Amino acid sequence: MCLGIPGQVVELLDSHEHLARVEVSGVGRVVNIGLLEDEQLAPGNWVLIHVGFAMSKIDEDEARRALEGLELMGRAYVEEIDAFASSQIEIDLPEEVRAWE
Amino acid sequence: MRFVDEYRDPRAARSILDRIVELAGDDHFKFMEVCGGHTHTIYRHGIEHVLPEGVELVHGPGCPVCVIPMGRIDDAIAVAETPGVVFTSFGDMLRVPGGHGSLMDAKARGADVRFVYSPLDALRIASETPEQVVFFAVGFETTAPSTAVTLLRARDLGLTNFSVFCNHVTIVPPIKAILESPDLRLDGFLGPGHVSTVVGNRPYRFVPEQYGKPLVTTGFEPLDILHGIMMLLRQIREGRCEVENQYTRVVRDEGNPRALAVLAEVFELRPHFEWRGLGFISQSALKLRPEFAAFDAELRYSVPGVRVADPKACQCGEVLKGVIKPWECKVFGTACTPETPIGTCMVSSEGACAAYYNFGRLHREAAVTLGRRG
Ligand code: SF4
């Protein structure tokens, strides 16, 4: 959970939800970029991701270093990437949900 | 210096090490690395074996899984076992033993306990089910803003079946507690890297100003750690004592103002919170503000809230305060292993005991065979 994993922004999604599609080691997932709103992120930018949130903008060189460092971590890194791959944060609120409220 | 050859830039590592040897001279220095990520790097890369004898590293309390006390795990299990509750948690927390087993054990008994990567995953589950979804929030300021944003989103969506069992802690009070502790004489700190991307470097100023110890915010590569140590020694030798930033690539002095604003909007400080090994520390943890009471699992569910003493054999407290090294705990590697953890420090890969169990022992054996720093 404390491992920051470097990802590259591929596409900015719905601006209200502050979501972006990012790619981490070939795995594409959606993360929240709202905490970096002041950074004016654009496709191609690199970010460090913690628990589904981009927490800092980094340059490509730092992303590469961070990734190399993480790969050396072995199991902890594999588990983090697996966890990341399992994540699905987009909420498409269906009508029935509103009915439950 | 065999291990150095494995570093990304062995030449740079050697020259930093030469400088460390020169600065340390014949004196003895004890530095604490605050963050579990540092501990992991230090054991993974055998850093303690490339340092001169006079420079000792001790592990600090910066592993959020490790500092959660047994009683809070029991509280989490009580919530998880409430009928109709889907209990969501980061993976590491599922294996932490409480007084009556772990969340994994509760799951085996039939509780609906699910692993999630992000609090937003928990929120999505809540949006798809009529059941009550509770998120077990843990972590320092690195993850607390994520929980805060998730709560704001839950409020915007008007979800009434989502709540948070909040165990977020803050980094400054435990550092203070350690500085006040009579057990330990420290000469400086390697400050946490990722927490500081949120809080910045300013909150650490009390360390030099009130306690006369230098602190260098440091990154997670082996070279970063060596560089941070060199910066600490240089301050001491030059008669300076301040907060410095080694990790300027990622950490800014002012931190992330937006994340701090979100934290302030959603959370307030708890008067007291119990830390494993450190006891109760005042104003050291976060709880939901009254405006978010509807999302507060502690108010919604009856939690025992009982303080549970650590098992007798467990010495996590001493490990977390840096008083003993993992291998000095009596049950290390025998009764307590990553597969069957007795204490929290053996659970998370950033816990000192797990990091040492997985990597450190091998380096130590290699170092002994090669002759220290051979
Ligand atoms: S070996 Fe186990 S019980 Fe001992 S300090 Fe480490 S985690 Fe705690």
Side-chain angles (χ1 to χ4, degrees):
Chain A
M1 153 215 346
C2 289
L3 290 182
I5 49 177
Q8 187 171 30
V9 177
V10 178
E11 183 192 357
L12 303 179
L13 302 170
D14 172 48
S15 66
H16 174 67
E17 280 195 62
H18 305 294
L19 299 181
R21 188 174 300 283
V22 299
E23 204 175 289
V24 173
S25 302
V27 182
R29 281 292 172 277
V30 173
V31 300
N32 186 299
I33 55 168
L35 295 169
L36 293 182
E37 215 173 22
D38 305 328
E39 304 278 352
Q40 316 273 331
L41 290 180
N45 286 164
W46 288 86
V47 289
L48 269 184
I49 301 159
H50 288 268
V51 301
F53 287 76
M55 294 301 287
S56 27
K57 187 179 175 190
I58 53 177
D59 62 23
E60 189 174 349
D61 195 42
E62 176 61 21
R64 193 174 339 104
R65 283 197 211 190
L67 200 60
E68 280 169 14
L70 286 170
E71 280 164 359
L72 283 174
M73 285 193 157
R75 203 181 67 188
Y77 171 66
V78 174
E79 283 174 4
E80 190 72 13
I81 293 292
D82 286 350
F84 176 74
S86 78
S87 175
Q88 199 231 314
I89 66 171
E90 308 98 297
I91 292 179
D92 212 350
L93 207 62
E95 275 311 306
E96 314 87 89
V97 176
R98 298 218 161 81
W100 293 331
E101 283 169 9
Chain B
M1 290 191 208
R2 183 172 166 278
F3 306 124
V4 175
D5 295 335
E6 299 162 9
Y7 295 177
R8 186 175 50 78
D9 185 348
R11 273 208 13 232
R14 274 209 189 76
S15 76
I16 298 175
L17 268 170
D18 288 346
R19 191 81 181 104
I20 289 175
V21 170
E22 192 184 311
L23 285 163
D26 293 328
D27 295 329
H28 193 92
F29 298 93
K30 214 181 215 184
F31 299 130
M32 173 175 276
E33 87 273 3
V34 173
C35 175
H38 290 153
T39 308
H40 190 114
T41 304
I42 287 163
Y43 282 136
R44 176 73 181 79
H45 297 276
I47 288 180
E48 42 172 14
H49 302 299
V50 304
L51 290 172
E53 302 269 357
V55 178
E56 190 190 337
L57 292 174
V58 293
H59 320 305
C63 156
V65 174
C66 304
V67 299
I68 300 295
M70 303 264 277
R72 295 295 280 185
I73 300 291
D74 290 350
D75 292 348
I77 290 172
V79 176
E81 292 191 325
T82 307
V85 163
V86 178
F87 194 84
T88 60
S89 163
F90 296 139
D92 278 349
M93 291 310 296
L94 299 180
R95 297 191 296 125
V96 175
H100 309 285
S102 66
L103 281 160
M104 277 299 202
D105 299 324
K107 188 180 167 77
R109 285 195 296 267
D112 191 346
V113 176
R114 302 186 198 174
F115 147 84
V116 288
Y117 169 69
S118 167
L120 289 172
D121 285 314
L123 191 70
R124 195 245 319 142
I125 294 173
S127 78
E128 291 169 355
T129 172
E131 288 176 304
Q132 287 292 330
V133 176
V134 181
F135 175 65
F136 190 10
V138 295
F140 286 89
E141 286 92 336
T142 327
T143 52
S146 312
T147 305
V149 171
T150 303
L151 282 164
L152 290 170
R153 182 98 184 102
R155 193 181 59 182
D156 287 351
L157 290 169
L159 288 179
T160 54
N161 65 332
F162 179 75
S163 60
V164 165
F165 179 45
C166 183
N167 291 270
H168 284 300
V169 286
T170 61
I171 194 70
V172 163
I175 298 181
K176 207 171 248 171
I178 280 166
L179 283 162
E180 297 280 348
S181 143
D183 303 353
L184 200 61
R185 191 193 62 84
L186 290 170
D187 301 291
F189 291 87
L190 294 175
H194 290 148
V195 174
S196 306
T197 60
V198 173
V199 302
N201 291 310
R202 291 177 192 147
Y204 308 124
R205 283 189 190 151
F206 75 96
V207 180
E209 283 166 12
Q210 290 171 33
Y211 294 90
K213 312 286 182 198
L215 181 145
V216 175
T217 304
T218 303
F220 296 95
E221 274 193 72
L223 277 184
D224 290 328
I225 306 263
L226 292 177
H227 192 199
I229 293 169
M230 189 199 87
M231 288 170 74
L232 283 171
L233 288 166
R234 199 170 54 195
Q235 281 200 39
I236 294 169
R237 291 307 188 201
E238 290 174 1
R240 288 182 295 127
C241 183
E242 49 202 60
V243 174
E244 279 186 296
N245 186 3
Q246 183 275 334
Y247 200 32
T248 48
R249 309 191 305 270
V250 178
V251 173
R252 299 186 189 159
D253 274 349
E254 71 278 14
N256 180 332
R258 191 163 291 268
L260 292 171
V262 173
L263 283 181
E265 184 178 353
V266 174
F267 296 120
E268 61 186 23
L269 286 170
R270 286 176 195 269
H272 297 288
F273 192 74
E274 188 194 354
W275 291 60
R276 195 175 281 237
L278 300 172
F280 284 90
I281 306 179
S282 57
Q283 313 222 307
S284 63
L286 304 175
K287 67 195 279 269
L288 274 57
R289 282 189 176 282
E291 304 90 282
F292 291 87
F295 299 99
D296 193 339
E298 256 172 291
L299 301 176
R300 277 197 186 194
Y301 302 96
S302 64
V303 293
V306 177
R307 184 164 187 230
V308 182
D310 285 342
K312 270 219 174 60
C314 168
Q315 290 186 276
C316 290
E318 278 103 320
V319 168
L320 287 165
K321 282 189 285 189
V323 177
I324 65 165
K325 301 280 170 146
W327 62 87
E328 289 169 332
C329 174
K330 284 184 286 296
V331 291
F332 176 89
T334 50
C336 187
T337 64
E339 281 68 42
T340 55
I342 290 180
T344 45
C345 305
M346 200 52 108
V347 176
S348 159
S349 66
E350 288 166 26
C353 294
Y356 182 73
Y357 187 91
N358 290 330
F359 304 113
R361 289 181 310 164
L362 305 174
H363 279 305
R364 201 162 140 102
E365 281 158 25
V368 171
T369 332
L370 290 165
R372 209 180 144 88
R373 282 170 288 128

